[in-house]
Amino acid sequence: MQTAPGTVPSIAGRTPIACINCANAKTGCDKAVPCSRCAEKNLPCEARFARRSGKASMRSASLSGAAPTQRNSRSPTTTNRLAPKEPVPAPAPAPAQTPIMAAGSPLETQPIQGSPQKVQTPVYTMQGLNFGNTPFNTSPSESVRGMDTFMCLNDEDMLSADTSYQDLMMWNQYPSELEMYPNTMTGKIDVPFMEMAGSYSSSDALASASMHTSISIPHTGSTSISSQADFERPFKIVEASGLMSGEPMMPEFEVVIAAEAAWPLARCNRPIFSGACPRTAIIHLENLEQHSRYESTWQLLDSNIDSSDIDYKNQISVVPFSSSTRDRILAITQSFLHTALETHRGGMKAWDKGSPHGNFNFLVLPPSKVLEYFLRSYVRSLAPYYTLINGGSLDPNELMLNNQASTLLLLLMIATGATSVQTSEARCLTAGLTETCRISLFNIIEKDVELSADPVVLRCALLFTILGAWSGDAWHMNIAMGQRGMYLSMLKHAGMLEPSLPVTISTDPSNIELQWRTWQQQESKNRLVYNWVMVDQELSLFHDTAPILSITELQTPMPGMECLWLAKDSTEWLAVLQQTNSATGWLSPNSLEVRPLTPSLCDLFQDMLHDNISRHYDQLSPLQLKLLLHPLQSLLCHLRQVLSCFSDFFGARRGSRTVTKASTMLRLEEVQSLLQKWYELCAVHAKADPTCPVTRANLVLYHLISLNAVTSFPEIERLARREAFDGSSRELGVRYKRCIHQPEEVLIHCGQVIRLVSSMPREGRPHWWSTAIYRAALILWVESLSRTDQNSQRMEKGPMFAIDAVMPDDRSVISYLWNGEGVPVLTKGDRHVDLLPDDVLNHCISLLEQGVASRVSDGIKRKLQALSRNWSTPLT
C-alpha cells in the first residue's frame, strides 16, 4: 500500500514502529514516511510494523483513512502497550460530535445545562490492590490480559527507540478519571476546578471550582494528568460563585486518596508500600503547569483573599513585593518547574515535539497581593514555632538575592502559607511548588557540594522537610522522612553542632553595627540548628521512631532572648542587651563589655539530670522547654523498644538475666519522673500566659510523650489493622494488655491532648495538630473497645467528669487517678459522649473538621472512617 508523504503508514492489524534507520541509531522516530530525521539527513526511510496488532494500529488506520494529516499537527499521545487486546468490531457510523475549538481560539465561559449526576467514589480496599473498576481497569480478567500482552512483547517492540522503560511500569490499577461534585449549596452549577474523586462530608457540598482537567493513561511510570484530551480540547475557565470557608473536606485526586495507605504514619488500616504506591508527584506538577496557562486561574483565590479580614496584631510584618522582585521570582520559578517536569517525564522529549501544548508554557503565578497573603499566613502558622525571622519583619525584596537558593526559600515560604488556605487553587500551588522545590534543592546541592553547608540551603531543606512530612501526599511524606537523615548529616558535617566561644561585645558605638551583624549571623545559625532539633523530635514522635540527633552532639549554644532577636536595628539591640545584662548582673566591672552566653542543649539537660536548673537559671523560655523534650523522648523511645523485646511470660531462668523487664520498668519510671519535673517547669509559663502558642504546643507534645510511656502505639495500630487477631473477646483482652498499661493515666493524657488542641485558634495551629488528635482518638478507641467486652467491664462509680474539659490538677482528676472514683466522658457542646468505640471515632472526626482543612487532616478523617467500617462486626 502506497503511503502519502509525511503521513503515518497503516497496515490493517499492524502497529507502526520506528523506521529502520532510527531503530539502528536508537533515536526517536515519529513513524511518518519519510520521518523527520530521515528527511533532515536525506536518508531513505523504510517503515516497519510490529508483528502483533493493537489498538494503536487501529487508531492509525482510522487516521490514515480520513483526510491526510500534517506531521506537525498529529496527536502526541503514546501507545498503551499494557492495554488488553480485544477483537475490533465492525465500525459503526460515528455520531455527530461537537466541533473542537481551534488552538488559538479565545476561551469562553459557557453555562452548563441540567444537573449532572453525582458519581459514587469507589472506596479503596487493600485486597489485591483493587480500587474499583475504571476505564482502564474494568475487571480482573482485563488486568490479566494486560499482563499477558506485556509478556508477549516482541524484540522489535522492546528495542524500539521511542519506547520508554517507564511506560512498561504503568500504574493502571487506579482509576484515572478525576471526578468532582458541583457546588450544590449556592443553587448554581459550576464547572469543576479539576475533575477529582469526591471526598466529601455529610453535606456533600464541594465548593471550590474553576478549572477542568482530566487524567488519562500515564505516559511515564508515574500517574500523569497529560492526555490526548488535553491537547485536543481547550480548557474552559468558569468563575466559581463562591467559596464556603467552613467546608470541612475538599475535592481530591483519587490516586492521592488511594496512596494514603502508603503514609509513613497514621497506619490504622492495612498499608501498602512504596513498591505498590502510585507516584503522585507528576500529577501535582502537571496540575500546576495547566494552571499556569491562564492568568484568570488565580482570580477566585484573589477574590477570596479580598474577603478575608484577619487580625495580624503582634505578628511579624510582611513587606510588599516590588515589581522587580516578582519578575525575578517568576523567571527562576519557571526554570525550576521546567526542570521538575523534565525530570518526571524522563525520555519523553520526542513525545513533546509537535504537540500544541507539549512545550512548557509561560508560568503565571498568583498576583503579588496573594503572594503577600501567603507569606503572612506562613508567618502566623510557622514562625511562632520555628523562629528564623529576625528584626520583626519579613522582607521578600531583601531576601531575594537573585540566586536559586534564596528563591527556593521564598517559594517554600509561599507554599507553606498556602497550606492554610482552603481552596483547590491554593492546594494545587502548594503541592506543585513542593515538588518543584524538592527537585531543584537536590540539584543545587549536587552541582555544588559546598552549598550543603550554606545556611540558606539548610533552611530550604528544613522548610521542605516540614512541608513534605505534613503534606498529606504519600510521595512527599516518604521522601521528606527519607531525606531528613541526609539533611541532618549535612548540618553535622558543616560544623554547626560544635560549641562556639562566647563573643565579647564592646559598647563602643563606632563598631556596634558590625557587632550586631556578627551576632545576628551566629544567632541565626544557632536557631537553624535547634529548629532542626525540634523537627527531629516531632517527626520521630509521630512516626514512632527514635530521634536521629543525640544529646551529646548538640554542643552549640541555644537561641538567645527573643527581644534581642527581634530588635530592628543595632541601637535597639544594644539597649536591650544592656538592660537585660544589668538586671542579671552580667555587666563587666568597667561596664564596657558584656558577654551574653546561653548554654547548649547538652548542658541544659545535664543540669536537669542533676537538679540544678533552679540554681543556674532564673526561668526557662518556652523554646528552651520545647528543646528539652528531645532528649526525654529519645530516652523513652529506647526504653520502650527494650520493653517490646521482652516476652509476656517469664521463663524459668529469668534470674540469670543481666537485663530484666523489672529493671527496665524502673528506668522507665525515672524518665517519667523527669517528665513530671519538666511539666512543673512548663506549668509556670502556662499560668502566666495561657494563650502562648508555643506553650500550648509544648504541653500537647508532653502529653503525647507521656502516653508513649504507658501505651504501645505501634501495637495499637497493629490491633486496629486486625493483624494476627481472630476477632474473639479473649484475644482482645490479651492484645489490650499489650497496648495499654495504665488505663486511668491514659484517659487523662488523651483528654488533655484534645482539650489543648481544641483551645488553639483555628488558624495558626502547628502542622501536626490533626495527627495529635489521631493518636488520642486511636488510644481512646482501644480503651473503649475493651469496655464493650463483657469479661473486662469496669465497675466505675461516682460523678461523670469530662476528661477533655478539666485541668490536670482538677479535684475530679486527682480522685480518679488515686481512688478510681468517677466516670470519664468526652464533651460535645452541651452534651457528653460516652466512651464507646463508634462514638469516640465520630467525635474525633468532628474535632478534625473544626480546624483548617488540609490534605493530612482530610486523609486522617478518611482513615478513621475506614477504621469504623472495618470494626463494624461485633466480637465473638
Side-chain angles (χ1 to χ4, degrees):
M1 175 179 176
Q2 189 68 25
T3 304
T7 62
V8 178
S10 174
I11 295 180
R14 304 291 294 277
T15 304
I17 58 177
C19 71
I20 293 178
N21 291 326
C22 293
N24 291 335
K26 295 184 178 180
T27 60
C29 180
D30 55 18
K31 304 184 187 68
V33 178
C35 69
S36 58
R37 181 176 177 276
C38 291
E40 290 175 3
K41 297 183 177 294
N42 294 323
L43 297 175
C45 185
E46 184 177 348
R48 297 190 309 153
F49 297 89
R51 289 195 287 266
R52 288 184 60 87
S53 62
K55 291 183 179 180
S57 63
M58 304 307 170
R59 284 200 303 270
S60 177
S62 64
L63 288 174
S64 61
T69 307
Q70 294 299 325
R71 180 164 64 243
N72 60 359
S73 62
R74 68 180 178 275
S75 174
T77 53
T78 59
T79 302
N80 183 9
R81 298 182 180 270
L82 293 185
K85 305 293 188 296
E86 299 192 15
V88 180
Q97 296 182 1
T98 305
I100 299 173
M101 296 173 62
S105 60
L107 301 175
E108 297 180 1
T109 300
Q110 299 179 1
I112 299 178
Q113 303 295 332
S115 176
Q117 298 294 324
K118 184 171 70 176
V119 180
Q120 181 64 33
T121 304
V123 178
Y124 61 92
T125 58
M126 303 316 301
Q127 290 81 1
L129 296 177
N130 181 18
F131 293 87
N133 294 338
T134 71
F136 308 109
N137 184 27
T138 56
S139 68
S141 61
E142 287 191 9
S143 298
V144 175
R145 289 198 297 271
M147 180 55 68
D148 180 67
T149 303
F150 169 71
M151 298 300 293
C152 294
L153 287 174
N154 55 34
D155 294 339
E156 291 179 356
D157 284 331
M158 295 296 293
L159 297 178
S160 177
D162 63 335
T163 301
S164 172
Y165 174 74
Q166 293 178 340
D167 292 332
L168 306 178
M169 303 292 291
M170 283 183 289
W171 223 81
N172 61 350
Q173 281 91 348
Y174 284 93
S176 346
E177 289 300 325
L178 303 181
E179 301 295 333
M180 198 194 84
Y181 296 93
N183 184 356
T184 58
M185 297 296 291
T186 59
K188 175 181 175 182
I189 304 298
D190 300 327
V191 172
F193 159 73
M194 59 181 77
E195 297 178 17
M196 292 182 173
S199 306
Y200 51 95
S201 63
S202 57
S203 63
D204 288 342
L206 297 178
S208 181
S210 73
M211 193 171 190
H212 180 84
T213 67
S214 66
I215 279 191
S216 182
I217 299 173
H219 60 293
T220 68
S222 61
T223 308
S224 169
I225 64 176
S226 290
S227 67
Q228 181 177 0
D230 293 337
F231 305 109
E232 293 181 351
R233 176 187 65 195
F235 297 112
K236 298 175 183 177
I237 308 299
V238 177
E239 295 299 330
S241 57
L243 183 74
M244 299 286 293
S245 60
E247 193 66 35
M249 296 190 74
M250 293 174 60
E252 186 57 274
F253 285 114
E254 194 162 323
V255 289
V256 174
I257 296 176
E260 288 171 358
W263 280 10
L265 49 74
R267 308 179 77 175
C268 60
N269 304 304
R270 189 175 300 177
I272 61 176
F273 300 98
S274 57
C277 179
R279 294 170 54 187
T280 55
I282 185 64
I283 284 185
H284 304 311
L285 289 174
E286 291 182 344
N287 192 20
L288 180 60
E289 182 194 21
Q290 291 178 5
H291 276 67
S292 300
R293 295 175 182 171
Y294 309 106
E295 190 170 2
S296 59
T297 299
W298 309 110
Q299 287 181 0
L300 176 65
L301 192 58
D302 195 7
S303 62
N304 279 278
I305 287 178
D306 279 339
S307 62
S308 62
D309 184 16
I310 300 176
D311 185 13
Y312 284 97
K313 290 188 299 184
N314 302 322
Q315 294 284 345
I316 298 173
S317 60
V318 175
V319 178
F321 280 88
S322 66
S323 58
S324 59
T325 298
R326 191 177 187 279
D327 292 342
R328 292 201 302 269
I329 293 175
L330 193 62
I332 299 178
T333 306
Q334 174 146 337
S335 67
F336 286 167
L337 183 55
H338 183 60
T339 301
L341 286 168
E342 281 190 347
T343 300
H344 280 281
R345 287 171 178 169
M348 303 305 297
K349 293 180 182 178
W351 178 86
D352 288 334
K353 296 177 182 177
S355 70
H357 295 294
N359 295 327
F360 182 73
N361 293 274
F362 187 75
L363 181 66
V364 178
L365 283 177
S368 298
K369 180 176 59 177
V370 177
L371 298 180
E372 293 162 14
Y373 176 87
F374 288 155
L375 287 180
R376 292 197 301 271
S377 179
Y378 158 78
V379 166
R380 181 181 52 183
S381 62
L382 205 63
Y385 308 104
Y386 308 99
T387 55
L388 283 172
I389 302 174
N390 62 339
S393 66
L394 174 60
D395 188 353
N397 309 302
E398 181 181 349
L399 186 65
M400 183 68 191
L401 303 176
N402 205 19
N403 59 37
Q404 292 185 337
S406 59
T407 307
L408 272 178
L409 182 59
L410 198 55
L411 289 176
L412 286 166
M413 289 180 178
I414 292 171
T416 304
T419 57
S420 61
V421 180
Q422 295 187 93
T423 65
S424 297
E425 292 87 349
R427 186 169 289 188
C428 161
L429 184 69
T430 296
L433 287 182
T434 302
E435 180 62 14
T436 300
C437 293
R438 179 191 73 82
I439 292 176
S440 297
L441 177 62
F442 198 79
N443 290 340
I444 286 174
I445 298 173
E446 275 205 335
K447 290 178 181 178
D448 188 358
V449 70
E450 292 182 358
L451 288 177
S452 61
D454 182 38
V456 177
V457 172
L458 290 171
R459 190 173 168 186
C460 291
L462 175 74
L463 286 184
F464 164 72
T465 304
I466 297 171
L467 195 58
W470 304 110
S471 64
D473 181 85
W475 176 259
H476 289 149
M477 295 170 80
N478 284 297
I479 288 183
M481 287 300 296
Q483 292 183 346
R484 173 181 60 141
M486 178 186 73
Y487 293 134
L488 288 174
S489 297
M490 288 165 46
L491 192 75
K492 189 185 307 182
H493 296 319
M496 293 190 179
L497 305 184
E498 300 300 321
S500 58
L501 297 175
V503 180
T504 300
I505 299 176
S506 172
T507 56
D508 183 8
S510 60
N511 61 350
I512 194 62
E513 182 74 21
L514 177 62
Q515 294 183 81
W516 177 51
R517 297 294 181 185
T518 304
W519 180 88
Q520 268 191 334
Q521 184 178 8
Q522 182 60 44
E523 180 72 7
S524 63
K525 290 182 180 179
N526 296 344
R527 288 176 179 265
L528 177 62
V529 168
Y530 284 106
N531 277 307
W532 271 109
V533 172
M534 290 186 283
V535 170
D536 184 37
Q537 183 257 324
E538 291 168 358
L539 294 183
S540 62
L541 171 63
F542 290 103
H543 291 78
D544 294 293
T545 60
I548 295 178
L549 295 172
S550 63
I551 185 62
T552 54
E553 294 175 322
L554 301 173
Q555 301 289 342
T556 190
M558 287 193 297
M561 293 176 292
E562 291 297 314
C563 53
L564 291 173
W565 178 244
L566 297 178
K568 294 180 174 57
D569 52 37
S570 58
T571 305
E572 180 181 348
W573 173 75
L574 181 60
V576 174
L577 188 64
Q578 290 176 328
Q579 181 180 0
T580 54
N581 287 330
S582 298
T584 56
W586 280 4
L587 277 176
S588 60
N590 55 11
S591 298
L592 294 178
E593 295 178 346
V594 289
R595 294 175 177 266
L597 178 63
T598 54
S600 66
L601 183 56
C602 183
D603 297 333
L604 184 62
F605 185 61
Q606 287 179 349
D607 287 332
M608 185 179 188
L609 292 177
H610 294 93
D611 204 13
N612 288 331
I613 287 184
S614 58
R615 290 196 294 269
H616 291 175
Y617 311 96
D618 182 26
Q619 187 178 14
L620 296 182
S621 67
L623 179 59
Q624 292 172 331
L625 287 170
K626 184 176 183 179
L627 292 172
L628 269 179
L629 289 174
H630 184 279
L632 293 175
Q633 180 188 326
S634 182
L635 276 175
L636 187 60
C637 181
H638 291 300
L639 290 175
R640 290 302 309 174
Q641 288 179 352
V642 174
L643 284 173
S644 65
C645 296
F646 286 105
S647 172
D648 294 333
F649 305 98
F650 288 102
R653 299 181 58 189
R654 62 181 180 271
S656 61
R657 292 180 296 181
T658 56
V659 178
T660 64
K661 187 174 183 179
S663 63
T664 308
M665 289 295 296
L666 185 61
R667 297 185 62 189
L668 183 63
E669 291 177 3
E670 293 175 350
V671 177
Q672 288 179 286
S673 66
L674 288 175
L675 282 169
Q676 181 61 31
K677 187 183 299 183
W678 181 95
Y679 177 77
E680 293 170 358
L681 293 171
C682 189
V684 177
H685 288 281
K687 292 179 180 178
D689 187 6
T691 61
C692 175
V694 180
T695 301
R696 279 179 176 170
N698 290 350
L699 288 173
V700 174
L701 296 175
Y702 157 77
H703 287 291
L704 291 173
I705 296 172
S706 299
L707 279 171
N708 284 348
V710 291
T711 63
S712 176
F713 198 78
E715 189 65 34
I716 289 174
E717 290 189 317
R718 281 191 284 270
L719 175 61
R721 297 192 296 264
R722 288 180 174 265
E723 291 184 5
F725 180 67
D726 58 9
S728 65
S729 299
R730 178 180 176 277
E731 178 67 17
L732 177 62
V734 174
R735 298 289 291 272
Y736 171 77
K737 292 179 181 178
R738 299 181 196 169
C739 296
I740 295 178
H741 311 301
Q742 298 179 20
E744 295 80 10
E745 190 173 343
V746 162
L747 289 174
I748 300 304
H749 284 304
C750 287
Q752 293 305 305
V753 169
I754 295 175
R755 179 185 68 83
L756 289 165
V757 172
S758 301
S759 66
M760 295 178 179
R762 187 171 181 270
E763 292 85 8
R765 293 182 179 181
H767 280 61
W768 43 257
W769 72 268
S770 56
T771 319
I773 293 289
Y774 164 81
R775 293 178 75 90
L778 220 60
I779 295 172
L780 288 174
W781 172 78
V782 170
E783 174 63 25
S784 62
L785 199 65
S786 71
R787 291 167 178 258
T788 61
D789 184 10
Q790 299 292 334
N791 300 324
S792 62
Q793 282 189 344
R794 296 171 180 79
M795 301 300 295
E796 293 176 331
K797 57 182 180 179
M800 290 190 303
F801 70 100
I803 57 176
D804 57 343
V806 296
M807 298 294 290
D809 55 355
D810 191 85
R811 184 175 301 176
S812 58
V813 173
I814 298 174
S815 177
Y816 181 72
L817 290 176
W818 287 92
N819 305 321
E821 296 179 357
V823 180
V825 295
L826 296 169
T827 56
K828 188 174 184 179
D830 336 0
R831 59 188 183 88
H832 69 273
V833 178
D834 294 327
L835 295 183
L836 298 175
D838 286 342
D839 294 347
V840 167
L841 291 180
N842 291 332
H843 176 66
C844 292
I845 290 172
S846 66
L847 292 176
L848 291 170
E849 294 175 353
Q850 295 175 7
V852 174
S854 62
R855 271 200 169 102
V856 68
S857 63
D858 289 348
I860 288 175
K861 279 186 275 188
R862 285 187 284 265
K863 286 175 176 287
L864 293 180
Q865 290 166 353
L867 175 65
S868 179
R869 292 192 298 268
N870 295 340
W871 281 80
S872 58
T873 305
L875 298 173
T876 58

